[in-house]
Amino acid sequence: SADMLDDIIASGTLRCAVVLDFPPMGMRDANNNPEGFDVDYCNDLAKALGVKAEIVETPFPERIPALMGGRVDVGVASTSDTLERAKTVGFSIPYYAFENAVVGNDKAGMKTWEDMKGKTVGATAGTYEAIWMEGKIKEWGTGEFRPYQTQADVFLALSQGQIEATVSTVEVAEANVKSGKFPGIAIVDKAPMVPDYVGLFTMRQEYGLINYLNLFVNQQVRTGRYAELYKKWVGEGKPADLSISGVYR
Amino acid sequence: MFSYTFQWNQALARLPQMLEGAVVTMEVAILSMVLGIIFAITLTGFRLSGNKFLNGIAVTWVEIARNTPALFQIYMAHFGVASFGIHFSPFTSLLIGITFNNAGYLAENFRGALKAIPDTQTRAARSLGMPAIMAFNNVILPQMLRISFLPMSNQMVWAVLMTSLGVTVGMNYDLYGVTQDLNALTFRTFELFAIAAVIFYIIVKIINFGARLIAARLFRY
Amino acid sequence: MFHTSMSWADVIFLAQGAWMTILVTVISVFLGTIFGIFFGVLRYQVGPWWGAPVTFVLDIFRSIPLLIQLVLVNAFLGIVLRLQISGFTVACGVLTFYTAAYCSEIVRGGIEAVPFTTRRASRSLGLTWLQDMRYIVGPLATRVALPSWIGLALGVMKDSALVYVVQVTELLKSTQILITRLQEPLFLLTIGGLFYFVISFPIARLGGYLEKRWSND
Amino acid sequence: MIEIKDVYKSFGALEVLKGINLTVDKGEVLSVIGGSGSGKSTLLTCINGLEPINSGKILVDGTEVHAKSTDLNKLRRKIGIVFQQFNAFPHLTVLENVTLAPRKVLGMGKPEAEEIAVKQLEAVGLGEKAGVYPGRLSGGQQQRMSIARALAMSPSYMLFDEVTSALDPQLVGEVLDTLKMLADKGMTMICVTHEMSFARDVSDRVAFFHKGIMAEIAPPDQFFNAPQHPETQAFLSNIR
Amino acid sequence: MIEIKDVYKSFGALEVLKGINLTVDKGEVLSVIGGSGSGKSTLLTCINGLEPINSGKILVDGTEVHAKSTDLNKLRRKIGIVFQQFNAFPHLTVLENVTLAPRKVLGMGKPEAEEIAVKQLEAVGLGEKAGVYPGRLSGGQQQRMSIARALAMSPSYMLFDEVTSALDPQLVGEVLDTLKMLADKGMTMICVTHEMSFARDVSDRVAFFHKGIMAEIAPPDQFFNAPQHPETQAFLSNIR
Ligand SMILES: Nc1ncnc2c1ncn2[C@@H]1O[C@H](COP(=O)(O)OP(=O)(O)OP(=O)(O)O)[C@@H](O)[C@H]1O
Ligand SMILES: Nc1ncnc2c1ncn2[C@@H]1O[C@H](COP(=O)(O)OP(=O)(O)OP(=O)(O)O)[C@@H](O)[C@H]1O
Ligand SMILES: [Mg+2]
Ligand SMILES: [Mg+2]
């Protein structure tokens, strides 16, 4: 029978899970309409497939359930491709890679990432950073970790001083600090994490679609669209290298 | 018929963590109930005091607690009051939110219960030389608690169920929080939440059963 | 009193959220009441023993957090059965049964409050079971049940704040989205809370009034 | 004609009727007396099929009440019954109480049903209370309303189950007068009662129930002056 | 000694006591009779300070009840009162009902309080009901328990407010017997009552209240055989 790729083409709509409180990857404009890097990627993918794009907002913890629940076809949601998750969903090759930064509340007086030790820190529940930070706290044996439901809540809590530091992608951190909406926060340091490679994802068994997604990511880089969108949403500079030397894929 | 493969053992392996979360959930529920009862009694006192200001506080509390979502109350306790520079940990925020809610509903209940106790009871107690507080504590309060016992046990169930809202204020070591964390890690949504549901169900049944036992022991009249 | 950067578009956005809250509530309460009446009558009619399975299932809706019900049903329908069902439908479906579970208790209580002798009298006049239900039990049970039912309906409205987990943007979620953009938590939360209050408070008062009036005669 | 043939009836392990045989003719007024729990009320509720029976037969105008094929709702139209407990429908006015069954069961139009209802209410002396809710009526008035309500279905038989025993003493008379009036009009009636003067003066025969058995049945003269059964004697001597 | 001097008392606009003067000596038994609403109950609740008064004075053993400096809780220990409405504490056993005030108010130890309680319960004939909850008692037993409860505080005065009027007729006797026993023991008592035989046989004086005025007070012989006040005459003739 037809696979998901066929279904999408036949239905004429591509439904993407996108996180909309994760600027500049996903956010809302002044009219509360979705915009951002991931939103554009979804639109590009839909265009390639020759169908209409439908952005379905999902908070971080709900991305995979939304896919599994058949509510979306593909996740374009800055999702880290961990091996644990790959037991459940199928990832494409990475379409973006984040460096992470430590953002602190000015009052906490932090200088390096190691100053997080013993502090109350937070991140968005279920993200790559959250998992890393919770691990660090365990390792240090001191401090407290608080996961919030949305990225916005994390920065709200940081700005209010409820937490003293967070780790988020450099892009998100810069966008939020620059926006001026969160007074009293600043980027402290880079977080010493392996770059956070994120992939598109869909149902694990949909090889046809996963193949298509892989080629799509490849084409985006090849055609320069990747760099173009980076410039549009992130700014000047060079987008992360999506290839890893010394290994296939 | 299912294309989905259940991975129960993966989820069950996390059961100890979830049970630890259940303990925290119970802690929050019990604390919020104890505090809620204390506040509810105080609020009831305010309403009966005849003092306009105290009565106003009590009415405002009760009406907000009863007419806005519990989620709103908890969110407010964390992010709302932080606008005034007051910071509560997730645990405290959750506790405050649920306590606020409990106290509002219970105060209303207590008021109804008091109405059901004839004022001849107070009169009889006062005639025996008891000061007002003593008469209340020894004669009115025990009867009030009995009348409100069933609503109180229902409220306790509610308190347990409401702990699940703690995730919105960053609570991650109660039963729901633990489950959600595990879900983010493994994405075994259905299995994990099914187990959480069973644990919640058992907790609620234990409360119902316990309430019946206590009622049978306590209220022999 | 407040300085806000909220725009007209944001107000409309909030209004859409409020409309969603009302829509979900009305649909769920309407369907839930119908099911609730059905299950309530059924449970009364077949007695506690035969009614036990229904009672057990409905009791589940009252014994696990609504948040989990939503997540689970969503996951089951979508992940396990792979049905393409919208979050709105899931939200309404779960809330419908949630309502029905409480409603059936209220209905059963209402029916039980109709004195046996009154029903015997109506059957003696030759009224059929259905006529008895419709002309005697229905009106009398309604008086007993209505105040609780109003409480239930308002409860469902407040609990509908949780349907955000199945990607339904209702009022509280809209508020949170605006908080994300505008960073005015206290102001926005106050607006959101006020909305619930303004709907809930007068209706709750009406319920209290009806209860008082009807318990007097 | 009501024919009761060897009727047995139990509630669980409790035998309440132990072989009752009784025939009530058209136009007859039968009073039933007996101790508490002797099965009098149960017999009445069996006659109109509100309670099933264990064995035996009850025939009303030749129709077997407990046969599967019998349309009980139809049969009950013929048999009016009024109970000890007041059971006005509190949400309906007195007039609506009385018109409900004629309209819904007999499918009468509203004007027709009201005409009949007003007639019956006047007959029981409640003509002026038509628009009032039953909550406003005294116990005696409620019982008379219940009688009018039953009569509005033009029943062939009327069963009365201690209709005066929940009444304050001063209200008993008005209800008994209503019963007398009905008897005078030739209604076939079975009246369970504790009012001995009523049994003596109004009824054609008096039956005495004792522990599920009909111990004695006789015309009032004989019943009260020369009771045969020792239990009847004991019962009557207790009352005087 | 209870001295009531020119006491006025209103509820809002309603004048309930209009200048009452009365002295009750140690050991005296006074019966108070009068129509409904004449202010009898109000007077009793004023005597133990449950109600404030508008003017006048009430002295109990020389202490002014409504003076600011008076410790009412202490004063009330001296004055036992039993009301018309049953008001047993339903959540406590009969024994606990009786021991509560001695323990909490007088600070007695449990054994001592229970010893006294048992004695009082036996005196009113409830020795066997000590462990029972009041819900299980008949009305008469409840009233006798209330009497024992008041007596356990060893009061110098006992006030009784129609303690038999909510009782079924067959239970009245047992409560009146208890009152008689108390009177025989020399307790100073004010009994508001509708039981004329009690007033006649037991009391030293009988007072008649009418619309907030004490219209007449006299020894029972004179009171019942030669009432002076026309209202007293009317009241008594209505009762006979
Ligand atoms: N629905 C029932 N279920 C079980 N037992 C019943 C039921 N109805 C009546 N009984 C029992 O059947 C027996 C006969 O009851 P019934 O009401 O016929 O007596 P009765 O002669 O009418 O007495 P009374 O003068 O007190 O009305 C009683 O022991 C009663 O407890
Ligand atoms: N707490 C109160 N508030 C207002 N009015 C009251 C109050 N208590 C009593 N009254 C009124 O005071 C009047 C006297 O009442 P009281 O109870 O003293 O009469 P009584 O002589 O004891 O009558 P009864 O024989 O009916 O008990 C009545 O009109 C009553 O309605
Ligand atoms: Mg009977
Ligand atoms: Mg009085």
Side-chain angles (χ1 to χ4, degrees), chain E residues 11-12 14-17 34-43 51 84 161-162 192 194 209:
Chain E
F11 289 111
L14 182 74
E15 275 211 307
V16 178
L17 298 178
S36 182
S38 56
K40 311 179 296 292
S41 301
T42 306
L43 182 69
E51 288 287 354
Q84 169 176 359
D161 188 2
E162 300 186 22
V192 174
H194 284 155
F209 271 57

